[in-house]
């Protein structure tokens, strides 16, 4: 049996950063994730996509952010159980928990932090005949490696941030980019909409609205698509790849059966204090939780992870006083990444 202070379910950015905050408090962490690698959606869906709202990084690739987080937490030597799902949970009489995975691996922890992001997820696929035949033969639901589209003709469909962002990014990679949306209005960020319009004027992106993809053509690999406009007129566009970006369908999986209070496929938490669920000792942080005013941002997940760790420390050390200090406290010449220096720079210095 694996024993730890905080069992974190989900190895995405929020779960990884929680390891750092826990380490500063000398709390040990172990992470479970259903994917075979760490990083969650950042690694699985868009490792080469730039992120712009991480403090201190005007721009950072999603995959590089994961690498930086792993470098940041390696001093605290977290444990990992990858490629396994957290299936069942049992609360013991002493308030601790036993979590068992689908492969029978048992974990004993003082607290459980669910940081599963959107949970398990599947792409929302358009209702186009024979689309399954072209999957991995020209139809891609995610952009994992932009180099796959180098000097290729691509068609993107969608009206949200992903469709807009990838149209902009791939304009400098692909031979041609066509963006199709069934409406004239987009749901994405205004600056992204304006950028796509600018690229349209520069002929870097072909924008076709309102229109929908009606048919896919090609013997062994996708060769062209047929689209229809709002008046029913049909036209054919030659393309090497079709990328429908209509969002994800999230599922909590087995966690939904743990007796947690759930609202619209997200776990309700007490955001006024520590992001604890309706079960004492079980927390939910990051995109998996919900509360009034919730924003699904990595930055918010980092904040929630910090307060969660403080709560777990108090749970494990009832009545113990501490004084707020920073990682730049006097007496620490530099946070050089070693465990010894990290422990000197404890955010909450234990008295």
């Amino acid at each position: 049996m694996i024993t730890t202070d905080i069992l974190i379910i989900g190895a995405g950015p929020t779960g990884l950063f929680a390891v750092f905050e826990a380490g500063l408090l000398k709390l040990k962490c172990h992470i479970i994730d259903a994917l075979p690698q760490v990083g969650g959606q950042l690694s699985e869906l868009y490792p080469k996509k730039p992120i712009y709202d991480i403090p201190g990084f005007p721009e950072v690739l999603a995959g590089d952010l994961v690498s930086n987080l792993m470098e940041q937490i390696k001093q605290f030597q977290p444990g990992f159980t990858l490629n396994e799902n957290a299936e069942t949970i049992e609360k013991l009489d002493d308030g601790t928990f036993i979590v068992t995975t689908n492969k029978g691996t048992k974990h004993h922890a003082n607290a459980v932090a669910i940081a599963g992001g959107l949970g398990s997820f599947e792409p929302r696929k358009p209702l186009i005949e024979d689309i399954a035949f072209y999957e991995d033969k020209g139809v891609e639901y995610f952009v994992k490696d932009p180099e796959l589209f180098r000097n290729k003709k691509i068609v993107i469909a969608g009206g949200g941030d992903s469709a807009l962002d990838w149209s902009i990014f791939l304009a400098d990679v692909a031979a041609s980019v066509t963006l199709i949306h069934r409406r004239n209005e987009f749901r994405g960020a205004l600056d992204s909409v304006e950028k796509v319009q600018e690229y349209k004027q520069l002929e870097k992106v072909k924008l076709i609205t309102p229109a929908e993809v009606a048919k896919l053509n090609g013997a062994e690999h996708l060769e062209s698509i047929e689209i229809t406009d709002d008046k029913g007129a049909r036209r054919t566009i030659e393309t090497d790849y079709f990328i429908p970006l209509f969002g994800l369908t999230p599922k909590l999986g087995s966690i939904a059966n743990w007796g947690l209070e759930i609202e619209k496929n997200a776990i309700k938490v007490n955001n006024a204090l520590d992001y604890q669920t309706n079960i004492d000792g079980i927390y939910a942080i990051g995109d998996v939780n919900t509360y009034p005013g919730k924003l699904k941002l990595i930055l918010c997940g980092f904040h929630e992870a910090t307060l969660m760790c403080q709560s777990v420390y108090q749970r494990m050390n009832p009545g113990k006083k501490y004084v707020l200090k920073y990682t730049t406290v006097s007496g620490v010449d530099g946070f050089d990444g070693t465990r010894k220096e990290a422990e000197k720079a404890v955010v909450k210095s234990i008295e």
Side-chain angles (χ1 to χ4, degrees):
M1 184 178 297
I2 298 170
T3 301
T4 190
D5 294 323
I6 306 176
L7 181 65
I8 301 171
I9 300 173
T14 295
L16 295 177
F17 187 71
V19 175
F20 177 77
E21 289 296 324
L24 293 178
L25 294 168
K26 303 182 183 179
L27 299 178
K28 183 180 179 182
C29 292
H30 191 93
I31 300 181
I32 299 175
D33 200 286
L35 296 174
Q37 74 281 328
V38 301
Q41 294 180 60
L42 300 193
S43 297
E44 183 69 5
L45 302 184
Y46 43 85
K48 298 297 184 181
K49 183 178 180 180
I51 301 174
Y52 302 101
D53 58 354
I54 302 300
F57 291 92
E59 176 182 323
V60 60
L61 295 181
D64 289 344
L65 176 59
V66 173
S67 297
N68 290 343
L69 287 166
M70 287 295 290
E71 179 67 23
Q72 187 178 31
I73 67 174
K74 73 177 183 180
Q75 59 201 318
F76 300 118
Q77 301 176 337
F80 292 91
T81 298
L82 301 177
N83 208 25
E84 296 187 28
N85 288 301
E87 286 283 325
T88 63
I89 189 167
E90 177 187 2
K91 190 171 186 179
L92 305 181
D93 292 339
D94 63 356
T96 62
F97 299 88
I98 300 291
V99 174
T100 305
T101 71
N102 60 315
K103 295 184 180 179
T105 308
K106 292 185 178 295
H107 305 77
H108 181 215
N110 286 285
V112 174
I114 302 170
L118 294 175
S120 60
F121 45 83
E122 296 178 353
R124 293 192 177 99
K125 302 180 181 181
L127 298 177
I128 302 174
E129 186 179 0
D130 296 331
I131 192 169
F133 172 79
Y134 292 102
E135 291 173 358
D136 298 322
K137 300 175 185 177
V139 171
E140 301 287 338
Y141 298 108
F142 308 115
V143 181
K144 294 184 179 181
D145 184 3
E147 287 302 311
L148 175 67
F149 310 104
R150 173 73 63 181
N151 299 324
K152 302 293 185 180
K153 292 175 288 185
I154 67 172
V155 173
I156 296 175
D161 286 314
S162 291
L164 293 165
D165 291 347
W166 280 122
S167 295
I168 294 167
F169 185 88
L170 292 174
D172 296 321
V173 175
S176 68
V177 174
T178 301
L179 175 59
I180 297 171
H181 184 40
R182 58 181 177 153
R183 298 188 181 92
N184 288 319
E185 300 79 21
F186 290 88
R187 304 185 310 276
L190 179 59
D191 59 339
S192 296
V193 176
E194 292 175 346
K195 190 72 172 180
V196 166
Q197 294 291 351
E198 177 187 337
Y199 274 26
K200 175 186 176 182
Q201 297 300 321
L202 295 173
E203 298 185 349
K204 296 181 67 174
V205 172
K206 299 174 185 177
L207 184 59
I208 303 177
T209 62
E212 293 186 82
V213 178
K215 193 173 185 299
L216 308 178
N217 301 312
E220 299 297 328
H221 192 280
L222 183 66
E223 296 175 2
S224 67
I225 64 169
E226 296 179 26
I227 65 172
T228 56
D229 61 22
D230 59 335
K231 297 179 181 178
R234 180 171 291 209
R235 59 185 285 198
T236 299
I237 299 176
E238 292 185 359
T239 188
D240 298 304
Y241 287 97
F242 171 49
I243 312 172
L245 297 174
F246 298 144
L248 303 172
T249 301
K251 297 179 181 179
L252 285 175
S254 299
I255 292 174
N257 303 318
W258 286 7
L260 302 169
E261 190 174 356
I262 296 173
E263 181 180 283
K264 296 182 179 179
N265 211 48
I267 302 170
K268 293 185 69 174
V269 296
N270 174 12
N271 68 306
L273 186 61
D274 54 11
Y275 302 96
Q276 199 159 190
T277 68
N278 59 303
I279 299 178
D280 182 50
I282 301 181
Y283 303 76
I285 54 177
D287 287 356
V288 76
N289 74 16
T290 186
Y291 52 83
K294 169 69 179 182
L295 293 176
K296 293 184 180 295
L297 298 173
I298 295 174
L299 175 65
C300 296
F302 289 168
H303 164 75
E304 294 165 10
T306 303
L307 295 186
M308 178 275 294
C309 290
Q310 296 294 325
S311 178
V312 173
Y313 176 82
Q314 292 177 317
R315 174 184 172 85
M316 293 179 60
N317 301 277
K320 206 167 206 178
K321 296 181 180 180
Y322 55 83
V323 177
L324 174 64
K325 290 188 178 181
Y326 304 95
T327 53
T328 52
V329 292
S330 60
V332 178
D333 295 332
F335 186 60
D336 65 4
T338 66
R339 185 178 182 86
K340 181 178 179 181
E341 289 301 314
E343 291 178 355
K344 286 182 182 179
V346 173
V347 170
K348 301 286 189 180
S349 180
I350 313 307
E351 289 186 338

